[in-house]
Amino acid sequence: MSGTAGQVIKCKAAVAWEAGKPLVIEEVEVAPPQAMEARLKILYTSLCHTDVYFWEAKGQTPVFPRIFGHEAGGIVESVGEGVTDLAPGDHVLPVFTGECKDCAHCKSEESNMCSLLRINTDRGVMINDGKSRFSINGKPIYHFIGTSTFSEYTVVHVGCVAKINPEAPLDKVCVLSCGISTGLGAALNVAKPPKGSTVAVFGLGAVGLAAAEGARIAGASRIIGIDVNPKRFNEAKKFGVTEFVNPKDYDKPVQEVLSEITNGGVDRSIECTGNVDAMISAFECVHDGWGVAVLVGVPHKDAAFKTHPINFLSERTLKGTFFGNYKPRSDLPSVVEKYMNKELVLEKFITHEVPFTEINKAFDYMLQGDSLRCIIRMDA
């Protein structure tokens, strides 16, 4: 164990005191890990749209003051009682969802939706004792989806920590702990496009581009990107997108356009926007007989998906996915190896980099639509 094991650590964290207001770099106290927890030294973190969504707190229960952040790479500083899979010095990716390895979901080869550790956006405390490990002057600062990586040190349940190859550069592979793996896995694990097939990707943000990258790796010959922002089209070519459709350019539903240009429909579609109309289009644009549509984006809580049942009876398949169907502890290490083997290129997802003291710039870049992923260097 390190010299700080069992002690409270004082460090810098970016605290969100209230919704939509700039984060403030504060000195926080980080308590030692309890049973089945690990305390991590975060070296690099990146900003995901989910952080921005809950920071804005427009559509859900506001939980403040809070430390956001959930895409990161770091090193284990110390572990709590009962932890056998991790040791100080291990290189790890903290993940917003977990794998307890004991529940029915974890024991199933078909599911990654751990009963104990699946995402809970309202909970701001650790599940072990219902308390926060962060405080300022004795007052709790709340956690975010079990990770809170906008802090030099954080405490995470061991089931939400993936141990990875120590040779992997944490400033690159940190982006695999959420969005990129979600899109990549939606293609490789769920859509599973056959070699030479046609794939439509709805939404060309980071997750959609990762889905396109997955389709490219799988050997799809046509990858059609659908987005209402034409600025995204050029960038998307780097991710294997071969052609583009902007729904605004047509006076008919985009599913009809896609059906016409693909002789009856695409073989696979992957929806990465969360817009329910795009979800319906993604399903209705796949070919009858064998087409598969995969929903990735998270819809508005009141959204309703409407389509005619004949679309199912004509042998189209609709699937959903969570975190690309990857089990965090079991599967993420192999995704890191895809990067190490140069099968997967992560550098093209990283558009910006800022020191921790300038973390609010990362929010500006994302809100302006300028960035895919902005790496935040904790030591700078």
Side-chain angles (χ1 to χ4, degrees), residues 120 124 151 157 162 187 208 213 251 263 278 300 356 371:
N120 181 329
S151 175
H157 190 284
E213 181 79 351
D251 52 11
N263 196 22
H300 188 275
F356 187 39
S371 78

Side-chain angles (χ1 to χ4, degrees), residues 93 95 112 162-165 168-169 172-186 188-189 210 213-214 217 323-347 349:
L93 303 179
V95 188
N112 67 340
K163 180 180 171 181
I164 63 162
N165 182 345
K172 305 295 187 293
V173 298
C174 64
V175 299
L176 290 173
S177 55
C178 180
I180 309 308
S181 295
T182 296
L184 186 75
L188 294 176
N189 299 335
E213 181 79 351
I217 291 169
F323 192 49
N325 280 36
Y326 288 118
K327 290 180 186 274
R329 296 160 80 186
S330 301
D331 298 335
L332 266 193
S334 64
V335 183
V336 169
E337 291 311 309
K338 277 188 196 298
Y339 169 77
M340 297 298 281
N341 300 336
K342 298 189 168 47
E343 192 183 337
L344 169 66
V345 180
L346 294 176
E347 284 80 358
F349 289 97

Side-chain angles (χ1 to χ4, degrees), residues 64 75 79 140:
F64 293 94
I75 294 174
V79 297

Side-chain angles (χ1 to χ4, degrees), residues 24-341:
V24 182
I25 304 288
E26 305 275 13
E27 184 176 81
V28 298
E29 296 192 334
V30 185
Q34 302 298 306
M36 300 310 290
E37 295 173 0
R39 189 161 57 185
L40 315 179
K41 179 178 171 63
I42 300 296
L43 298 180
Y44 300 94
T45 186
S46 62
L47 181 66
C48 169
H49 194 264
T50 307
D51 296 305
V52 176
Y53 181 73
F54 284 93
W55 165 74
E56 289 178 323
K58 288 175 182 170
Q60 68 296 106
T61 315
V63 181
F64 293 94
R66 201 170 204 181
I67 296 171
F68 286 101
H70 64 284
E71 284 191 352
I75 294 174
V76 175
E77 175 268 339
S78 61
V79 297
E81 184 189 334
V83 176
T84 54
D85 291 3
L86 293 172
D90 284 347
H91 285 223
V92 294
L93 303 179
V95 188
F96 66 92
T97 184
E99 183 184 354
C100 72
K101 298 198 174 181
D102 290 324
C103 70
H105 284 276
C106 286
K107 288 180 175 173
S108 162
E109 288 184 11
E110 296 181 49
S111 175
N112 67 340
M113 300 193 70
C114 176
S115 302
L116 179 69
L117 299 169
R118 76 173 62 175
I119 187 170
N120 181 329
T121 56
D122 293 339
R123 186 172 58 224
V125 293
M126 300 300 287
I127 59 173
N128 184 35
D129 59 0
K131 293 178 181 171
S132 174
R133 301 287 173 263
F134 299 108
S135 61
I136 295 179
N137 299 326
K139 292 190 175 156
I141 308 293
Y142 294 108
H143 294 251
F144 177 61
I145 53 178
T147 50
S148 292
T149 61
F150 294 165
S151 175
E152 292 174 327
Y153 287 87
T154 188
V155 177
V156 181
H157 190 284
V158 70
C160 300
V161 182
K163 180 180 171 181
I164 63 162
N165 182 345
E167 299 293 313
L170 290 171
D171 60 333
K172 305 295 187 293
V173 298
C174 64
V175 299
L176 290 173
S177 55
C178 180
I180 309 308
S181 295
T182 296
L184 186 75
L188 294 176
N189 299 335
V190 190
K192 297 179 179 173
K195 255 193 169 57
S197 59
T198 298
V199 178
V201 177
F202 286 73
L204 299 175
V207 176
L209 293 174
E213 181 79 351
R216 181 192 68 75
I217 291 169
S221 61
R222 281 179 85 182
I223 302 173
I224 305 167
I226 297 100
D227 203 296
V228 294
N229 181 356
K231 279 197 219 158
R232 290 179 158 175
F233 292 167
N234 214 32
E235 184 74 14
K237 291 175 186 169
K238 297 180 197 167
F239 299 84
V241 176
T242 56
E243 55 206 279
F244 307 96
V245 172
N246 184 342
K248 286 182 174 175
D249 293 344
Y250 300 88
D251 52 11
K252 57 185 165 188
V254 72
Q255 52 268 48
E256 289 181 24
V257 175
L258 291 165
S259 184
E260 284 170 16
I261 65 172
T262 57
N263 196 22
V266 300
D267 302 307
R268 301 289 186 268
S269 73
I270 305 168
E271 192 290 321
C272 303
T273 71
N275 178 297
V276 73
D277 294 326
M279 292 179 172
I280 295 165
S281 298
F283 175 54
E284 294 183 354
C285 79
V286 299
H287 207 290
D288 58 2
W290 62 79
V292 178
V294 179
L295 305 185
V296 181
V298 179
H300 188 275
K301 60 179 172 39
D302 300 323
F305 184 100
K306 293 176 183 170
T307 192
H308 198 284
I310 198 71
N311 289 321
F312 291 99
L313 297 176
S314 52
E315 299 182 2
R316 292 176 179 88
T317 300
L318 180 64
K319 292 183 171 186
T321 179
F322 172 70
F323 192 49
N325 280 36
Y326 288 118
K327 290 180 186 274
R329 296 160 80 186
S330 301
D331 298 335
L332 266 193
S334 64
V335 183
V336 169
E337 291 311 309
K338 277 188 196 298
Y339 169 77
M340 297 298 281
N341 300 336

